[in-house]
Amino acid sequence: MAEMKSTVENRIQTDPLVISDSFEGYSLTYFNLPLHYRDDLQSVLIPYGFVQDRIEALANQIFADLHINLPEQLICLCVLKGGYRFFSDLVSKIQLNNRLHNRRSLPMSLEFIRTQNQPNGQLEIIGLSDLHRLKNRNILIIQDIIDTSSRVEILKQKLEDFQPKSMHVVSLFKKRQSDKDCIFKPDYCGFEIPDHFVVGYALDHNEYFRDLEHICILKESAVSKYKIIDKRFAE
Ligand code: IMP
Ligand code: MG
């Protein structure tokens, strides 16, 4: 019997998947959505399962690129709160790579921070009590979404001061900007999306909508319906 030759390379594209401006999302009627948000959503931009698939591709690529040996560890830095679900799923999928491969591995330690804009315009990092611990370490910043890029750029600059050995940024989403100065390019990115305000999968609007599975576009009416009650709690 002739030997079967696989000519198809199993390569997954790890550049961001580009969602075009003309795509307005899927009709809500195809999805199982919580009753409490049904009237506030315009459409489903990216279904949960699709997000999971992209995260798997990102995890595989990060594992392939950044594998290291103990005692070194990759410090996976979760930017709360919006990044918590992406962080959790990405780390789990990297762990799966660790179980499936026996020639290379990626030991990880997990850290959690919050960033808060101060009244003086400064960005404060809350949660990493000893930033000097980052000296000579490998860091992966795990971020939910990049809009104007200002937060991630300032965060990166601040962390550079502590002289890490390497620093990479992975963002699940990056908004395509036409009128804003968005020059920051994350090292890894799941989706490039149109310039809509999106919620779900831990991304919020004033602390609402984190408890929604799919990435959805908000209706205009919902923006004012869920106004900021106390600015101190805005992430
Ligand atoms: P940037 O500094 O303008 O890039 O903003 C990044 C942060 O703003 C993210 O970490 C989110 O917390 C928030 N953000 C920006 N766009 C959205 C959105 O469409 N939905 C939810 N949060 C967003
Ligand atoms: Mg927020």
Side-chain angles (χ1 to χ4, degrees):
M1 202 168 92
E3 205 178 297
M4 286 249 293
K5 259 195 183 169
S6 169
T7 51
V8 182
E9 261 198 83
N10 188 18
R11 273 199 169 276
I12 299 174
Q13 179 61 257
T14 50
D15 285 340
L17 189 150
V18 177
I19 297 184
S20 74
D21 284 341
S22 60
F23 181 65
E24 289 177 358
Y26 301 99
S27 161
L28 300 182
T29 54
Y30 294 105
F31 296 88
N32 186 6
L33 296 159
L35 180 66
H36 51 272
Y37 292 142
R38 274 200 160 250
D39 289 344
D40 303 318
L41 306 172
Q42 188 177 304
S43 62
V44 172
L45 186 67
I46 312 173
Y48 172 80
F50 197 178
V51 170
Q52 293 299 312
D53 243 65
R54 290 296 301 146
I55 297 176
E56 194 169 307
L58 292 173
N60 294 352
Q61 192 61 48
I62 288 167
F63 179 82
D65 292 350
L66 305 185
H67 60 273
I68 44 182
N69 296 316
L70 277 173
E72 283 197 77
Q73 285 176 311
L74 181 69
I75 301 184
C76 295
L77 200 61
C78 174
V79 185
L80 294 169
K81 296 177 188 174
Y84 101 91
R85 291 205 62 182
F86 175 43
F87 175 87
S88 168
D89 288 332
L90 183 75
V91 168
S92 299
K93 290 175 198 305
I94 295 174
Q95 283 176 215
L96 181 64
N97 272 278
N98 276 328
R99 297 201 295 276
L100 293 176
H101 294 83
N102 52 19
R103 286 180 172 271
R104 57 167 76 148
S105 65
L106 181 52
M108 294 175 280
S109 76
L110 313 181
E111 294 286 348
F112 300 83
I113 55 161
R114 284 167 79 168
T115 56
Q116 215 164 46
N117 286 319
Q118 297 303 301
N120 62 5
Q122 296 274 318
L123 189 81
E124 193 190 344
I125 303 175
I126 305 162
L128 257 190
S129 52
D130 185 9
L131 289 165
H132 293 280
R133 209 172 76 68
L134 302 178
K135 191 174 165 101
N136 255 326
R137 307 289 298 275
N138 305 289
I139 304 174
L140 178 67
I141 299 172
I142 302 178
Q143 165 99 14
D144 51 358
I145 186 165
I146 294 176
D147 181 7
T148 61
S149 318
S150 65
R151 277 203 205 193
V152 69
E153 276 178 341
I154 297 169
L155 178 61
K156 233 187 133 186
Q157 264 170 25
K158 283 197 168 220
L159 298 180
E160 290 286 7
D161 289 347
F162 297 91
Q163 301 171 327
K165 182 175 179 181
S166 71
M167 184 151 44
H168 293 88
V169 176
V170 54
S171 183
L172 184 53
F173 307 108
K174 181 180 188 303
K175 281 192 203 173
R176 195 166 36 256
Q177 306 288 356
S178 43
D179 50 345
K180 300 177 199 162
D181 275 346
C182 181
I183 45 164
F184 184 84
K185 266 192 142 207
D187 301 282
Y188 304 95
C189 182
F191 299 87
E192 183 187 289
I193 62 170
D195 193 7
H196 294 300
F197 196 84
V198 291
V199 293
Y201 192 65
L203 277 78
D204 75 315
H205 170 51
N206 298 334
E207 297 304 327
Y208 292 91
F209 304 101
R210 294 200 201 273
D211 56 333
L212 175 68
E213 295 301 302
H214 306 293
I215 297 296
C216 299
I217 301 178
L218 269 191
K219 273 187 189 164
E220 276 297 317
S221 57
V223 176
S224 49
K225 181 173 165 189
Y226 301 98
K227 280 200 214 91
I228 295 186
I229 298 160
D230 186 336
K231 275 205 165 196
R232 283 174 304 163
F233 300 121
E235 298 283 313

